[in-house]
Amino acid sequence: MIYYCCRTAVNDLVFIVDGSWSVGFLNFDTAKKWLINVTNGFDVGTQFTDMAVVQYSDTPRLEIHLGQYKTRQELIDAIGGIKYLGGNTQTGRAIKFATDHVFPSSMRTSPARNKIAVVLTDGKSQDDVVDAAVEARSQNIIMFAVGVGSEITKSELVSIANKPSSAYVLFTEDYTTIEKIKEKMQQKLCEESVCPTRIPVASRDEKGFELMVGLKITQKAKKTQGSLTSEMAFLLSPEMDFTENTRDIFPEGLPPSYVFVATLRIKSPVNKETFDLWRIISKDGVPQAAVTLNGVEKSITFTTTSITSEIQSVIFKEERLKKLFDEEWHQLKLLVRDIDITCFLDDVHIKQKPLEQPIPIYINGKTQAFKHLKKETTIPVKIQKLRLYCDPQQSERETACEIYSVVRIFKMFSKLF
């Protein structure tokens, strides 16, 4: 599956590929096919993603330099034509070569938004990788490490990659199963391209968009008591306007997969109205993405783009969603992937429904929140959280522990066990 939503990202992307004797001719051909499939998710060229390939063994060899090819097909043909080196495993030397010579050789008129290196290896390096990786990261190069097989050293991959290692280190059993991590690699590269910002969550920073800040809710709205005594929320009123240029919030568009989270309280009479909790609209007024709450039908509609038609909508109208409109605090969570969408309310799985693959959004319009359907007027609600996380696994980590009823149930279970 090709991820269309970050095709036009502006990156300098360098693959540092193990060509030592331990790989073998057949496995090296498999690695090249994987490389082709991963790069298929990007448009190629100096206005988009420039890609380079370094093969290494005893010494690194520049197979494809940045800006050498202007089309995806030219790049694919060139990768397919790379000849296997053979030799020892000098990973640190290859990383230093990419840092000192490959990235500085970019021929762009303006710098790439991101400099990304992906190190693919199947064994322990015979030289030091730590200093080389530290130097690369000091040059603002984002380092991924992909380990193949049982001979790899996890600590070495962790020392190569950015932190946290859970996000920047990938593993696969052997070259025959490397295709299984293709989509995960594409997703990670897209996250770096589309989601450069960080949201502090517990002890880690998550990539995503803090919409409370981006839409200036924290500046414009009045502070109020949140769902717990320890939580702060904001009270919205009709005279407030939460509208910003989409390019200021999502400069590279939306990621291919994401988690939308909102913690809010909808009181009467708003809980009987229909409004867009969040929406992106093109310059021509065409919906690009939206989460719509219908207080009459007690339903949720998710709208996004479609590869076969201009827009598509998915409606959730399950009985358990009625709680969202009962005037209490609730957390709504939507896990959006390019094949399906899953709805959660207060950590309860509501429903999973299929999606057609979306296409990139237009960023020439505006992004809004808390607007009456097809109107510009703001609805008065209390909002505590409004975020969009880029990592789909954040759906599992983002719990509704800020909701009193969920906390109470958790405490009850804690006493039992």
Side-chain angles (χ1 to χ4, degrees):
M1 183 74 69
I2 296 173
Y3 288 118
Y4 289 87
C5 295
C6 60
R7 298 197 78 113
T8 58
V10 183
N11 299 320
D12 280 346
L13 176 58
V14 178
F15 287 92
I16 304 171
V17 183
D18 192 345
S20 61
W21 287 129
S22 61
V23 176
F25 285 93
L26 290 178
N27 286 336
F28 188 73
D29 283 341
T30 302
K32 290 195 297 183
K33 292 174 184 175
W34 180 79
L35 211 61
I36 289 170
N37 290 335
V38 170
T39 58
N40 240 338
F42 296 89
D43 283 343
V44 174
T46 53
Q47 289 183 313
F48 306 115
T49 293
D50 271 346
M51 298 186 196
V53 178
V54 174
Q55 183 187 177
Y56 71 94
S57 54
D58 291 286
T59 59
R61 185 171 75 188
L62 181 59
E63 305 285 1
I64 299 170
H65 63 72
L66 290 171
Q68 184 172 353
Y69 297 104
K70 308 303 180 187
T71 69
R72 190 183 306 112
Q73 190 57 53
E74 288 177 337
L75 178 67
I76 289 171
D77 292 342
I79 294 173
I82 295 174
K83 303 299 182 183
Y84 175 49
L85 266 175
N88 295 310
T89 309
Q90 301 277 337
T91 312
R93 190 174 182 181
I95 295 171
K96 181 172 175 54
F97 175 77
T99 303
D100 294 345
H101 301 288
V102 183
F103 281 104
S105 70
S106 175
M107 295 181 290
R108 294 179 186 272
T109 54
S110 57
R113 184 177 295 274
N114 300 294
K115 295 188 293 184
I116 305 172
V118 179
V119 179
L120 176 65
T121 182
D122 78 339
K124 188 178 187 307
S125 179
Q126 292 168 301
D127 66 351
D128 178 58
V129 300
V130 176
D131 288 346
V134 168
E135 176 61 23
R137 292 194 298 270
S138 73
Q139 300 292 326
N140 296 318
I141 298 172
I142 300 161
M143 299 293 295
F144 284 92
V146 180
V148 183
S150 58
E151 298 300 316
I152 57 173
T153 304
K154 183 178 178 180
S155 60
E156 182 175 281
L157 297 181
V158 169
S159 68
I160 291 173
N162 279 45
K163 292 181 172 53
S165 59
S166 59
Y168 294 94
V169 178
L170 283 73
F171 299 96
T172 184
E173 296 173 6
D174 51 42
Y175 281 97
T176 64
T177 59
I178 194 173
E179 193 64 15
K180 292 181 180 179
I181 63 169
K182 178 200 71 177
E183 290 190 10
K184 188 173 183 180
M185 188 76 255
Q186 287 178 320
Q187 170 70 24
K188 294 297 182 183
L189 292 173
C190 284
E191 287 176 15
E192 291 299 330
S193 306
V194 179
C195 308
T197 55
R198 300 291 193 274
I199 301 173
V201 180
S203 59
R204 55 186 288 159
D205 286 349
E206 295 290 344
K207 294 194 186 85
F209 302 90
E210 179 57 271
L211 299 179
M212 295 282 286
V213 175
L215 289 164
K216 300 180 181 177
I217 295 170
T218 54
Q219 295 180 30
K220 297 178 180 179
K222 181 182 178 181
K223 294 179 182 178
T224 186
Q225 172 66 52
S227 57
L228 301 172
T229 54
S230 58
E231 299 291 339
M232 179 180 67
F234 294 87
L235 177 62
L236 314 187
S237 58
E239 65 272 10
M240 299 174 183
D241 180 31
F242 303 106
T243 301
E244 298 294 328
N245 293 325
T246 297
R247 68 175 66 253
D248 293 334
I249 299 180
F250 304 105
E252 299 291 340
L254 292 173
S257 300
Y258 56 89
V259 182
F260 174 85
V261 182
T263 302
L264 72 166
R265 187 176 190 180
I266 314 169
K267 303 197 76 172
S268 179
V270 178
N271 62 351
K272 297 179 179 63
E273 298 183 31
T274 301
F275 63 93
D276 288 329
L277 181 56
W278 165 68
R279 69 189 182 201
I280 299 175
I281 302 171
S282 71
K283 186 178 181 181
D284 299 327
V286 178
Q288 302 288 284
V291 177
T292 306
L293 308 188
N294 188 319
V296 176
E297 297 184 353
K298 304 296 186 277
S299 66
I300 300 169
T301 300
F302 175 74
T303 302
T304 187
T305 57
S306 168
I307 196 170
T308 59
S309 57
E310 193 171 29
I311 58 172
Q312 60 178 317
S313 293
V314 176
I315 300 176
F316 295 94
K317 196 180 177 182
E318 279 61 41
E319 182 70 22
R320 288 175 294 181
L321 284 179
K322 289 183 178 179
K323 284 178 58 180
L324 181 61
F325 304 90
D326 67 3
E327 301 195 46
E328 298 299 326
W329 283 100
H330 294 287
Q331 185 199 77
L332 172 66
K333 182 169 64 180
L334 298 174
L335 169 59
V336 182
R337 304 191 300 167
D338 68 335
I339 56 172
D340 56 40
I341 176 172
T342 307
C343 178
F344 300 84
L345 185 66
D346 300 339
D347 277 351
V348 176
H349 181 283
I350 303 298
K351 192 84 171 182
Q352 182 181 66
K353 294 193 174 187
L355 273 180
E356 293 180 355
Q357 189 173 13
I359 59 174
I361 65 168
Y362 295 109
I363 62 169
N364 60 355
K366 54 190 178 182
T367 296
Q368 299 178 309
F370 310 105
K371 296 290 185 180
H372 282 96
L373 185 64
K374 298 180 180 180
K375 296 180 180 179
E376 292 293 317
T377 52
T378 300
I379 53 100
V381 298
K382 288 185 178 181
I383 180 71
Q384 183 168 293
K385 181 183 293 181
L386 193 66
R387 290 175 177 170
L388 192 150
Y389 294 105
C390 295
D391 184 355
Q393 293 184 353
Q394 184 62 20
S395 176
E396 301 172 11
R397 298 189 288 262
E398 179 74 20
T399 65
C401 57
E402 60 193 315
I403 304 302
Y404 177 72
S405 59
V406 175
V407 173
R408 184 177 58 188
I409 293 172
F410 177 77
K411 288 181 177 179
M412 288 173 59
F413 273 96
S414 297
K415 290 179 179 180
L416 289 174
F417 296 99

